Amino acid sequence: MSVEHEIKIWPAYFDAIESGRKPFEVRFNDRDFKVDDVLHLREFDPTENSYSGRECRRRISCVLTEERFGIQTGACVLGLDQGVAELETEVARLVDLLNAPELVDFASGVVREAAHQRERWAADHDGGKQPQDWFWLLGYLAGKALAAALSGDRDKALHHCISSAAVLANWHAALLGADTRMRPGIETPVGEPAA
């Protein structure tokens, strides 16, 4: 199991690691660093005696501890994979995109909403979906679109039109035998394959 180590680091070294010019860190091995652990580097200004607020994370790809090549006893050289922070940023961006409803571009909105529904209400939420379950879910969401339109909430009405179409897209995928991971309804009977 990997561990995240929060480390104080001076500005010049922080900049070199963050930019990728320095893909290693030399430290005393007082934390039992291991491959796949993560260094949570927090920039610390020794002249101000305070943290700057800049941070980055790097995964440890190798640990050199031998007392060869000039490595001091008790110290280690940590090889650092670049990009943990960039990957975290990209994952956050994609999650935000998946969870942000599209109201104008209908086709794009349906694809994104269908993916959102599969992630939000996966198979363990409900199991064994039957055709009537799809029908009632579609009616429920279409009813929400109607209620929003009648009350003058245009954005909500647009969203529920798209979410209704997304249910149809997921139903279509289920009819084709695709794994939608979204099966609201009753449990699949014992001995029958999951829908």
Side-chain angles (χ1 to χ4, degrees):
M1 176 184 231
S2 66
V3 174
E4 182 169 298
H5 304 278
E6 187 172 301
I7 306 268
K8 185 187 295 186
I9 186 167
W10 289 3
Y13 304 117
F14 180 88
D15 287 338
I17 288 175
E18 186 181 48
S19 70
R21 291 187 322 271
K22 182 179 174 248
F24 64 90
E25 179 65 0
V26 178
R27 291 280 168 165
F28 281 105
N29 197 5
D30 57 352
R31 300 173 184 235
D32 192 29
F33 296 111
K34 303 267 188 247
V35 170
D36 289 329
D37 284 356
V38 173
L39 290 187
H40 176 183
L41 302 163
R42 297 184 61 209
E43 183 181 45
F44 183 83
D45 186 342
T47 59
E48 299 291 324
N49 197 33
S50 66
Y51 289 99
S52 70
R54 295 175 62 202
E55 302 177 0
C56 71
R57 288 179 171 78
R58 296 293 186 262
R59 186 184 71 81
I60 298 174
S61 59
C62 70
V63 180
L64 298 177
T65 58
E66 296 88 15
E67 294 177 22
R68 294 184 288 168
F69 312 113
I71 300 174
Q72 182 180 346
T73 302
C76 62
V77 177
L78 306 172
L80 305 177
D81 276 347
Q82 303 301 308
V84 172
E86 292 83 0
L87 289 174
E88 289 174 344
T89 300
E90 179 64 3
V91 166
R93 185 190 73 78
L94 292 171
V95 166
D96 288 345
L97 181 63
L98 185 61
N99 292 322
E102 170 61 52
L103 303 180
V104 178
D105 183 340
F106 183 79
S108 171
V110 169
V111 170
R112 285 174 49 188
E113 179 63 21
H116 170 76
Q117 290 173 358
R118 290 190 303 273
E119 290 299 318
R120 177 74 169 81
W121 292 283
D124 18 339
H125 178 267
D126 298 294
K129 185 154 188 122
Q130 300 297 313
Q132 62 270 23
D133 299 314
W134 288 108
F135 172 81
W136 291 116
L137 178 58
L138 178 60
Y140 169 74
L141 291 173
K144 289 183 79 142
L146 172 63
L150 292 175
S151 72
D153 190 339
R154 178 180 172 268
D155 285 351
K156 190 170 271 193
L158 289 168
H159 171 67
H160 286 303
C161 282
I162 288 175
S163 65
S164 298
V167 164
L168 283 172
N170 282 320
W171 187 2
H172 181 265
L175 289 169
L176 289 173
D179 176 14
T180 66
R181 290 184 293 151
M182 180 188 159
R183 302 181 346 242
I186 60 173
E187 288 295 326
T188 303
V190 175
E192 286 187 23

